[in-house]
Amino acid sequence: MGVPSLLKSASVAALLVGASEAANIIQANDDGWAELYLRSFHNAMIADGHDAVVSAPGSDLSGSGSLNTTPTDRILACEYDSCPADTLTPTGTNASDTRLNWVNSFPATSMEYGINEFGPGIWGAGTVPDLAVAGPNVGSNIGFIQVEGSGTVGATCYAVDQGIPAIAFSGITTGNLAWDTEPVPLRSTLYAELALEVTNAVLAAGTPYLPDDVFLNVNMAAVEGNCTDTSAFSYILTRINTPSILSTSDTPTCGDTWLPTETSVMDDGGCYVSISVGTCSDKTDASAADQLTVLNKLSGLLSCLPA
């Protein structure tokens, strides 16, 4: 990524944060606390003035949905040896950066501990996060089957169920990366920048950031070909499921009464970020009214697909 792109992205992000305020943000994932995608996004939020706190599983627990169990004492080392074996504690904190924390349980449990313990431990007792984010996930979370089983979405919906607005981020490019990978691959940096722009756009729109029971499911196209700079990407409002005969119409936009599916947008091969509005009660598409609320809030960010 060239310097002009970094400056452009930083400029957009600064304007969006300036329009709102720096936020207290809880961040989880399902790939583990030491996964580089999560760390790059965390670092981007901190650099942009947000007070982000990580609370994520000590190991990769992808595909665990909304499972939530009390963490047990950890015996094995954390992923990438990021915590030693035989810690014999259910949670842990990075000694040099207390905003980085692991939980020996599922992504949803990690989000729970972040909201109730790690976040307030940094911000002050009783402080509720302004926003929760999960990811970016290593790989896509598109369509009902992936969304239903996603630990990234499960963590996001735990926050929503506590009344905290939340966003699930996923990057199509796969390949797990340790937190200390050097040099940092472009895909990790680029996904962090794209996720930050969506986060800041939501915050800049003001409270309430999202409707009740609603989460955003965000998927970012593969970092390859022409899609290697933030300026190449367009943000598209999408839906999770293909409409059926029982479906009601989406909010009208871009000359259509149906939104494109996130699967069709990601399969298009273009430089797109799909943003679907889902409900945590069933992890499927939100109502047209809730879609319209998000459309209005993110109108300055969203684009239409080419005709």
Side-chain angles (χ1 to χ4, degrees), residues 136-222:
N137 187 68
V138 181
S140 65
N141 278 308
I142 55 176
F144 177 74
I145 293 176
Q146 287 189 5
V147 170
E148 178 69 23
S150 167
T152 300
V153 173
T156 301
C157 282
Y158 179 87
V160 170
D161 290 343
Q162 313 313 305
I164 300 166
I167 311 171
F169 291 101
S170 300
I172 300 299
T173 304
T174 58
N176 294 78
L177 299 165
W179 66 276
D180 57 352
T181 301
E182 290 290 348
V184 176
L186 174 61
R187 65 184 189 272
S188 190
T189 302
L190 184 57
Y191 285 154
E193 292 179 350
L194 294 171
L196 181 63
E197 289 199 13
V198 174
T199 299
N200 284 340
V202 169
L203 293 170
T207 57
Y209 296 124
L210 294 172
D212 292 342
D213 190 41
V214 159
F215 74 101
L216 298 186
N217 189 48
V218 179
N219 281 273
M220 299 171 283

Side-chain angles (χ1 to χ4, degrees), residues 30-86:
D30 69 4
D31 296 304
W33 82 309
E35 184 61 47
L36 186 58
Y37 279 8
L38 175 139
R39 295 292 183 92
S40 291
F41 184 26
H42 176 76
N43 292 340
M45 288 189 287
I46 292 291
D48 207 49
H50 299 301
D51 200 344
V53 175
V54 167
S55 179
S59 299
D60 185 341
L61 289 174
S62 298
S64 51
S66 290
L67 292 173
N68 188 345
T69 61
T70 301
T72 57
D73 289 351
R74 189 166 186 92
I75 298 173
L76 300 176
C78 292
E79 63 178 352
Y80 311 122
D81 292 321
S82 54
C83 78
D86 296 318

